[in-house]
Amino acid sequence: QVQLVESGGGLVQAGGSLRLSCAASGDTFRLYSMGWFRQAPGKEREFVAAISGGGGLTLYADSVKGRFTVARDNAKNTVYLQMNSLKLEDTAVYYCAAKSIVVAVPRTSYEYDYWGQGSRVTVSS
């Protein structure tokens, strides 16, 4: 069982930056691929980014490519999502997720085994 706790959300102006963190329990964090998803009001949950267990593989949604960066620190059991040049349409609740597979970057929500509680990001004009 893996428990995930997100932090770092908040209110930011368009063009600004935020960094989300997701801390995981357990001592096998490196064996999990990690993903970030988001859900805006009235919309379905969508893929944002993913990173493999060792950090060597990453994948991004086209809508965030070049603006967001996913990274992980396995010594701290933490995955990060650095969000730059934020846009109004980035407003959503952001979720981190874990899948028990090392070398992969899954992009569909049903592939993931564990989920955090979500962290709200609001981008204002």
Side-chain angles (χ1 to χ4, degrees):
Q1 190 80 5
V2 176
Q3 292 185 325
L4 304 173
V5 179
E6 297 103 334
S7 61
L11 176 64
V12 63
Q13 285 191 324
S17 299
L18 276 178
R19 189 178 78 160
L20 301 180
S21 300
C22 174
S25 63
D27 57 1
T28 58
F29 180 66
R30 69 192 185 282
L31 301 182
Y32 287 82
S33 291
M34 300 297 295
W36 286 97
F37 291 77
R38 67 187 182 186
Q39 188 165 18
K43 295 187 177 182
E44 294 187 351
R45 190 170 297 187
E46 64 173 359
F47 171 77
V48 175
I51 186 167
S52 59
L57 296 175
T58 57
L59 183 67
Y60 297 92
D62 289 343
S63 58
V64 306
K65 200 172 295 182
R67 300 187 298 122
F68 290 12
T69 302
V70 61
R72 65 191 296 159
D73 185 339
N74 286 347
K76 296 182 178 180
N77 278 20
T78 302
V79 62
Y80 305 96
L81 185 68
Q82 177 67 44
M83 305 183 292
N84 298 329
S85 302
L86 282 161
K87 303 176 180 181
L88 296 180
E89 52 264 41
D90 294 319
T91 294
V93 176
Y94 284 71
Y95 299 88
C96 67
K99 176 173 176 59
S100 180
I101 186 169
V102 180
V103 185
V105 280
R107 65 177 301 150
T108 53
S109 58
Y110 64 80
E111 296 184 80
Y112 285 85
D113 304 310
Y114 304 101
W115 291 83
Q117 82 287 353
S119 182
R120 185 175 301 276
V121 172
T122 302
V123 183
S124 64
S125 59

